[in-house]
Structures are given as structure tokens and as C-alpha cells.
């Protein structure tokens, strides 16, 4: 009955067609989840029993928990998970705004034997944001860790966090997480997160749990705000991340998010205001930056589709390339509906003979670069590319103003229904197309096929790039896939971001120029590759 109720809620919100594809997507997620935990069982989970001990001052971590009429079993499990931490330098700050006497009795009974537990009873319920701030006011630690009153953390959560602090000195830390049932004995839907990804965060709150923030950062930029009930943590995370570049991801599940009758973990429709609040977070973020944005809820629940309304007030270069350019007029006619009334300076580049043309005039590479430098942005486009968006070039341009991305690419399709790649993933000598062969109605893991996001690399089929960066670092060697991927790695290493927006699509099934010792694999060859490469 519970699952039928969820399906009914989805149909009410999304309609039958979208609900059907979400059910298909859910089945895929279940298979991925099964494979993940099956592998974990075989390997046995690596519990970190050590933390760096050759330091003078260990960071003190204050775990803040706003309590409100929570199931006693859940509260006990939460407190026990903190007390059993391998890392000893913590304090647990509990603020109780509820009226269940049993909750208070449990907390006080633990506090008698554990001096690291700090407790405060509120006379009135101030709401989740202000209740959390009350807990923060009790904290004396160097870092604040956030824990919901019905969830719990792994035994090595704080030792992992402490090691990260001591090794990398971050201001913000987040880990992977999963979900657990009411009994806390079954785990599912692991959320294996990417490294720090600012564009992904604008699409949805992928950071979520386990979140740890340096106290000085909170003191300087403020605690949680009212007015975003259900997404108060999203606003807080976004504001903190806006004010530091020292953000680290721990690629390990340290947090168990409990699915219960009232939690958003089980069914976000039970707290529909959270969906509205998440959109408000981004709308207000845009207003604070004086960005003219159109923000709407995405197909993946809790996600946002963000579109800049910025007008194209400058020229853009377009380099159209292929091994040999034969019919320039046909290509221009095909491009016609994308070019619109705006000014684009179009160049043709034939790779085989190195021929570069502009308005029927042959120019050399130096002349090309000189002309390109007149405009801030350049679009590189394979000649056999077809288009589904008449404002493709303008929208690629607009995306750069949302997160100052260095490179922006659309989703690349093989045909109108089949995906070629949502970027490339690089690990060692292995290059993988993300989601190759999947149908466009598939939402992807954690909705990735429906949100704009940061990626490691893209195929050089269609992309917009800063002109100066293009000329100085890659130039006309972009089509050599080995050099291109090395360049993408350099971009990611320097935290100059690459963004793919699935809302923008092009069609191209041409082969790339790849040396014999290089291969491109499908990222979903095996489900475990998904977690390794995403």
C-alpha cells in the first residue's frame, strides 16, 4: 500500500507518462543499489580505526541536533552512534523543542554518564532553522557537524572527518550517504557523490549529509535562516560554499538517512513545501547576485532548472570542423535557425589539410587566433552536428554566467532518442562515455540526466569555451582526443569548471579521432563502474 500511495502522489504531481519513466528509473536504482552493497559485503567495509596522532591540537567537532518529538528508538540510536565514535574529541549539542517527556528523559540519562553531551530544553518550538541555531550556540568546537534527530552516523565518521581536517585544512567537508529503514538494519540507495561541484549544487542539494563546517565560517557568514523551511540546509550550504574555496569530499558513506513515515528520505511529497523552498533558495541566490534568472522545478524531485535571461550583447566565434569540409552552404543553412539575428563569426577548419576559411578567404592559424581574440567566447562545433534547440549558442553563452564555467557543453545524442554522452569520465588509462546508449527519458543516477552539472571531461563535439583560454592552452589540437583529455584534466585540477547541461541537446554520432592505444568505454558496462567514475 505504501508504494501504491507513492505512485499516486507521483501521478498527481507529474502525470502518468513521467511517472512511468520514473518507475523504470527506480528499478535501475534498485539494481545499482543491490550491486553496490553486494560488492561491499565481499570486500567488507573498511572502518577507519586510526586518526592522525602526531599533532598538538586535535580539532574538536561539535555535532548539533535539533530534537522535536522524535521516536525514542531513533533518538537512542543517534546518541549511541555518537558515543561509539572512534574519534574522542567531540561534543553532542542537543536542543529539544518538543513536548515528549520520554525524549528528554533519554537525553538526561545519557548526559549523566557522558560529559560531552550538552543539552538545552526550549520553551517554544522556534522552527527547524532557529532550533538548529540554538544548538550551534551551545557548541564550543572548531567545527560544526549537522545530524538530524532520526538519523545516525558510522563509527568512523568523525575519525574520517578529523583526518580530512588535519591533512587538507578545509572549511567545509561532506561525505557520501545512504538510506536506512526504520529498524536501522537495512541500507539502500547509496548516494555516491562527486568532488566539489558548484554547478551541480545549484541544480540540487547533492551535499546534504554528512555536513561539517568550520565554526569561524559560520560566525562570519551567519547561521541558518528562516523562510526556507524544508530546504533551510540547502540555503545554508550554498551560502557557506559561496564564501570559501576550501571544500572537501570524503568518498565514503558516513551517514545513514532514515526512511520513516514522516521523513523526506522516504517520500519528499510528504513535505511538498521543501520542493517550493528549494526553488526559492535559488531564486534568492540569483537576486543577491543581480542575475536575471528563470528558475523552475526540474523533473527530478528537488532539482531546479536554471536559465539565465541575459541577452547576447557580444559577438561569438564559431569554429566548424571536420576531416574535410565539403559543403559550407549546407552547413550554414542547417545552422540558420540557431544563429538568429545575433552576430556570430563563423570559421571552417578542415583537419586533413589544415585549411582554415572565413567568408571564402583562406587564413592561417596565426590570423585565425588574432581574429578569434576579438570576441570573449568561441563555440567549437563538429560539422555533422544536428540541433534540437534554436537558441543553442545563446544558451551555452548564458550558462557561463551562472557559475563562470570555463567550458559548457550540451548533452550529446546519437539520435533523437538515444544518448551518446553526458560528458566523459577519466580514471587512469580508462575513458568512459557517461550514459551512452540510454534513452533520453531515463533520469540517471540521482537525476543526473536531468540536471546541469560539473563533469571531468566532455567529447569535443560541441562546446563553448573562453577564447583566450582556448588559444593559450589547446587551440586547433582540440580534435586530438588524447591532448583534449589531458587538457580537460588540467581544467579540473585547476578548479576551472566544465559544465554539461542536459536541457541543451545536439545530435552527432561521428567517430572521434582516437589513437590506437586509446579506447572509449560505456560508463555503464558494469554497475560498479558507475560509482567508480561518477
Amino acid at each position: 500500500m505504501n508504494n501504491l500511495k507513492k505512485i499516486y502522489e507521483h501521478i498527481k504531481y507529474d502525470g502518468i507518462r513521467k511517472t512511468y519513466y520514473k518507475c523504470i528509473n527506480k528499478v535501475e536504482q534498485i539494481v545499482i543499489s543491490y550491486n553496490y552493497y553486494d560488492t561491499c559485503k565481499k570486500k567488507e567495509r573498511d572502518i577507519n580505526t586510526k586518526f592522525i596522532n602526531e599533532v598538538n591540537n586535535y580539532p574538536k567537532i561539535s555535532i548539533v541536533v535539533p530534537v522535536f518529538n522524535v521516536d525514542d528508538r531513533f533518538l537512542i540510536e543517534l546518541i549511541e552512534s555518537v558515543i561509539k565514535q572512534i574519534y574522542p574529541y567531540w561534543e553532542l549539542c542537543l536542543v529539544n523543542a518538543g513536548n515528549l517527556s520520554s525524549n528528554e528523559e533519554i537525553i538526561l540519562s545519557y548526559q549523566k554518564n557522558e560529559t560531552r553531551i550538552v543539552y538545552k530544553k526550549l520553551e517554544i518550538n522556534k522552527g527547524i532553522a532557529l532550533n538548529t541555531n540554538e544548538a550551534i550556540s551551545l557548541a564550543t568546537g572548531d567545527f560544526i557537524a549537522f545530524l538530524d534527530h532520526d538519523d545516525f552516523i558510522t563509527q568512523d565518521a568523525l575519525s574520517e572527518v578529523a583526518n580530512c581536517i588535519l591533512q587538507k585544512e578545509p572549511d567545509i567537508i561532506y561525505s557520501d550517504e545512504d538510506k536506512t529503514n526504520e529498524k536501522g538494519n537495512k541500507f539502500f540507495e547509496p548516494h555516491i557523490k562527486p568532488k566539489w561541484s558548484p554547478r551541480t549544487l545549484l541544480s540540487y542539494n547533492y551535499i546534504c549529509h554528512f555536513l561539517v563546517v568550520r565554526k569561524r565560517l559560520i560566525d562570519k557568514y551567519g547561521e541558518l535562516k528562516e523562510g526556507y523551511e524544508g530546504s533551510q540546509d540547502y540555503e545554508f550550504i550554498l551560502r557557506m560554499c559561496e564564501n570559501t574555496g576550501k571544500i572537501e569530499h570524503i568518498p565514503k558513506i558516513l551517514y545513514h538517512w532514515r526512511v520513516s513515515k514522516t521523513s523526506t528520505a522516504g517520500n519528499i511529497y510528504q513535505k511538498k513545501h521543501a520542493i517550493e523552498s528549494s526553488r526559492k533558495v535559488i531564486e534568492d541566490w540569483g537576486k543577491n547576485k543581480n542575475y536575471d534568472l528563470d528558475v523552475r522545478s526540474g523533473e527530478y524531485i528537488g532539482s531546479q532548472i536554471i536559465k539565465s535571461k541575459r541577452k547576447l550583447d557580444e559577438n561569438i566565434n564559431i569554429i566548424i570542423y571536420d576531416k574535410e569540409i565539403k559543403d559550407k552552404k549546407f552547413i550554414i543553412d542547417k545552422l540558420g535557425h540557431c544563429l538568429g539575428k545575433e552576430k556570430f563569426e563563423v570559421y571552417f577548419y578542415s583537419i586533413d589539410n589544415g585549411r582554415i576559411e572565413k567568408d571564402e578567404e583562406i587564413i592561417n592559424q596565426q590570423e585565425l587566433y588574432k581574429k578569434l581574440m576579438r570576441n570573449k567566447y568561441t563555440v567549437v562545433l563538429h560539422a555533422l552536428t544536428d540541433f534540437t534547440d534554436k537558441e543553442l549558442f545563446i544558451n551555452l553563452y548564458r550558462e557561463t554566467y551562472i557559475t563562470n564555467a570555463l567550458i559548457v557543453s550540451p548533452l550529446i545524442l546519437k539520435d533523437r532518442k538515444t544518448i551518446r554522452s553526458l560528458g566523459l569520465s577519466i580514471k587512469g588509462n580508462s575513458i568512459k562515455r557517461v550514459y551512452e546508449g540510454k534513452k533520453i527519458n531515463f533520469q540517471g543516477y540521482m537525476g543526473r540526466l536531468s540536471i546541469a552539472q560539473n563533469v571531468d571531461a566532455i567529447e569535443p563535439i560541441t562546446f563553448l569555451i573562453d577564447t583566450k583560454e582556448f588559444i593559450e592552452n589547446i587551440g586547433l589540437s582540440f580534435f586530438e582526443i588524447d591532448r583534449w583529455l589531458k587538457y580537460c584534466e588540467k581544467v579540473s585540477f585547476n578548479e576551472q569548471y566544465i559544465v554539461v547541461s542536459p536541457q541543451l541537446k545536439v545530435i552527432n554520432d561521428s567517430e572521434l579521432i582516437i589513437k590506437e592505444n586509446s579506447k572509449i568505454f560505456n560508463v555503464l558496462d558494469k554497475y560498479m563502474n558507475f560509482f567508480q567514475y561518477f
Side-chain angles (χ1 to χ4, degrees):
M1 286 298 293
N2 212 19
N3 287 333
L4 288 175
K5 186 179 178 182
K6 287 182 186 178
I7 291 172
Y8 174 71
E9 292 284 351
H10 274 283
I11 291 173
K12 268 204 317 184
Y13 189 85
D14 294 319
I16 294 174
R17 185 172 181 274
K18 286 183 180 178
T19 300
Y20 168 77
Y21 286 110
K22 285 183 177 180
C23 288
I24 298 296
N25 195 75
K26 187 69 174 179
V27 172
E28 295 255 7
Q29 305 283 33
I30 291 169
V31 175
I32 290 172
S33 181
Y34 174 81
N35 278 273
Y36 176 79
Y37 288 110
D38 185 54
T39 300
C40 287
K41 284 179 184 177
K42 290 174 182 175
K43 289 183 177 179
E44 294 188 7
R45 191 178 184 282
D46 178 24
I47 298 292
N48 187 351
T49 58
K50 298 179 181 179
F51 51 89
I52 297 172
N53 54 21
E54 295 180 0
V55 293
N56 294 322
N57 296 308
Y58 291 105
K60 184 178 180 181
I61 302 169
S62 298
I63 302 171
V64 297
V65 183
V67 177
F68 182 79
N69 295 347
V70 64
D71 188 306
D72 290 341
R73 296 170 301 160
F74 302 163
L75 182 59
I76 290 169
E77 193 163 9
L78 177 150
I79 296 172
E80 287 286 342
S81 77
V82 175
I83 290 174
K84 291 177 181 177
Q85 287 298 299
I86 296 161
Y87 186 76
Y89 305 105
W90 56 263
E91 68 177 351
L92 178 59
C93 303
L94 296 153
V95 165
N96 183 10
N99 54 20
L100 281 180
S101 58
S102 58
N103 280 181
E104 183 164 48
E105 288 168 5
I106 288 167
I107 295 169
L108 292 175
S109 67
Y110 275 102
Q111 192 181 34
K112 285 179 183 178
N113 302 313
E114 180 51 77
T115 58
R116 292 171 294 181
I117 294 178
V118 185
Y119 175 63
K120 181 177 181 180
K121 179 71 175 74
L122 299 181
E123 295 301 319
I124 58 170
N125 177 21
K126 299 180 179 181
I128 183 66
L130 296 186
N131 290 352
T132 303
N133 292 344
E134 287 282 354
I136 293 173
S137 71
L138 300 177
T140 60
D142 308 293
F143 286 82
I144 304 296
F146 296 84
L147 181 55
D148 291 347
H149 65 182
D150 51 356
D151 301 336
F152 58 100
I153 53 178
T154 63
Q155 189 180 2
D156 58 346
L158 296 186
S159 62
E160 289 283 357
V161 168
N163 283 338
C164 182
I165 292 169
L166 293 169
Q167 291 169 349
K168 300 181 179 179
E169 299 184 345
D171 289 329
I172 298 172
I173 302 161
Y174 64 95
S175 75
D176 296 339
E177 63 185 291
D178 64 8
K179 293 178 181 177
T180 186
N181 62 351
E182 288 201 1
K183 292 182 179 180
N185 60 3
K186 291 183 180 179
F187 304 95
F188 51 95
E189 292 187 24
H191 189 176
I192 309 304
K193 303 170 187 177
K195 62 186 178 183
W196 166 232
S197 303
R199 185 59 182 91
T200 310
L201 183 60
L202 288 175
S203 292
Y204 63 15
N205 181 11
Y206 82 90
I207 287 178
C208 207
H209 313 113
F210 184 37
L211 174 69
V212 183
V213 182
R214 190 180 292 274
K215 181 65 161 57
R216 287 203 308 268
L217 195 70
I218 299 174
D219 291 341
K220 186 172 182 180
Y221 296 105
E223 299 172 336
L224 279 73
K225 290 184 178 180
E226 290 184 283
Y228 301 97
E229 281 67 24
S231 292
Q232 68 286 336
D233 54 341
Y234 189 17
E235 188 282 330
F236 174 77
I237 289 169
L238 188 57
R239 180 159 38 92
M240 293 299 106
C241 291
E242 284 274 299
N243 288 290
T244 182
K246 300 168 74 174
I247 304 167
E248 292 293 336
H249 167 229
I250 299 174
K252 194 172 184 179
I253 291 174
L254 303 180
Y255 192 104
H256 301 305
W257 190 9
R258 194 184 305 270
V259 173
S260 64
K261 294 176 182 178
T262 58
S263 74
T264 54
N267 185 2
I268 197 170
Y269 292 111
Q270 292 176 346
K271 295 186 179 179
K272 293 178 185 177
H273 63 278
I275 299 172
E276 298 300 320
S277 292
S278 64
R279 187 169 72 245
K280 185 176 185 296
V281 167
I282 300 303
E283 288 173 342
D284 289 354
W285 172 84
K287 288 175 185 176
N288 291 338
K289 288 183 165 290
N290 294 316
Y291 290 168
D292 189 7
L293 302 178
D294 175 37
V295 183
R296 59 184 174 84
S297 295
E299 289 190 9
Y300 185 75
I301 298 300
S303 70
Q304 285 70 236
I305 304 301
I306 309 169
K307 184 177 179 180
S308 169
K309 298 179 184 178
R310 184 184 177 93
K311 293 182 179 179
L312 182 56
D313 52 8
E314 56 189 302
N315 289 2
I316 290 181
N317 307 310
I318 299 179
I319 298 175
I320 300 170
Y321 78 96
D322 201 351
K323 289 184 177 182
E324 183 181 1
I325 303 289
K326 294 181 179 179
D327 193 340
K328 295 189 288 295
K329 184 179 182 305
F330 173 77
I331 295 170
I332 290 295
D333 289 344
K334 187 172 63 172
L335 279 175
H337 74 290
C338 289
L339 296 176
K341 297 179 181 179
E342 288 77 14
K343 288 187 177 181
F344 295 92
E345 297 189 19
V346 180
Y347 303 84
F348 291 94
Y349 176 43
S350 297
I351 293 170
D352 284 353
N353 58 20
R355 184 186 179 102
I356 306 169
E357 294 180 70
K358 168 91 166 69
D359 299 327
E360 302 298 330
E361 176 189 357
I362 299 175
I363 60 176
N364 62 36
Q365 188 168 307
Q366 285 186 332
E367 289 173 316
L368 170 68
Y369 289 165
K370 186 176 180 180
K371 290 177 182 291
L372 292 179
M373 283 301 295
R374 295 183 300 202
N375 301 318
K376 180 172 174 55
Y377 292 106
T378 295
V379 171
V380 177
L381 174 70
H382 192 282
L384 298 181
T385 302
D386 290 323
F387 308 95
T388 64
D389 181 359
K390 66 180 181 180
E391 292 190 321
L392 173 70
F393 302 133
I394 299 172
N395 286 331
L396 288 173
Y397 164 81
R398 286 169 173 164
E399 179 63 41
T400 64
Y401 283 89
I402 296 175
T403 52
N404 295 317
L406 183 66
I407 301 172
V408 181
S409 171
L411 176 67
I412 302 173
L413 306 178
K414 291 185 174 186
D415 53 50
R416 290 192 174 274
K417 294 183 178 180
T418 311
I419 293 166
R420 171 176 173 144
S421 70
L422 181 79
L424 298 174
S425 217
I426 311 166
K427 284 291 181 294
N429 295 322
S430 198
I431 310 162
K432 294 182 177 282
R433 281 195 185 114
V434 180
Y435 288 119
E436 182 180 11
K438 288 292 179 182
K439 299 301 179 183
I440 57 173
N441 291 311
F442 182 58
Q443 284 191 340
Y445 179 70
M446 297 296 170
R448 298 286 176 82
L449 272 171
S450 61
I451 63 164
Q453 65 206 268
N454 301 101
V455 296
D456 287 341
I458 57 168
E459 293 187 87
I461 298 292
T462 303
F463 63 93
L464 179 143
I465 187 170
D466 178 272
T467 299
K468 187 172 184 290
E469 173 75 19
F470 174 74
I471 291 171
E472 291 180 354
N473 290 284
I474 188 67
L476 292 183
S477 62
F478 67 86
F479 65 89
E480 298 176 27
I481 193 68
D482 288 352
R483 292 189 66 179
W484 171 252
L485 292 177
K486 286 178 182 176
Y487 170 64
C488 287
E489 285 187 295
K490 177 184 173 184
V491 169
S492 295
F493 181 79
N494 292 332
E495 295 186 349
Q496 298 170 292
Y497 300 104
I498 303 171
V499 169
V500 172
S501 176
Q503 280 65 55
L504 309 176
K505 300 177 180 69
V506 297
I507 303 169
N508 191 308
D509 200 23
S510 305
E511 290 298 321
L512 294 178
I513 300 171
I514 303 174
K515 294 181 181 179
E516 290 182 5
N517 61 349
S518 297
K519 292 181 180 179
I520 292 185
F521 300 95
N522 181 341
V523 77
L524 288 178
D525 283 342
K526 296 181 180 178
Y527 282 108
M528 288 315 301
N529 282 340
F530 184 85
F531 296 101
Q532 184 181 355
Y533 288 98
F534 222 107

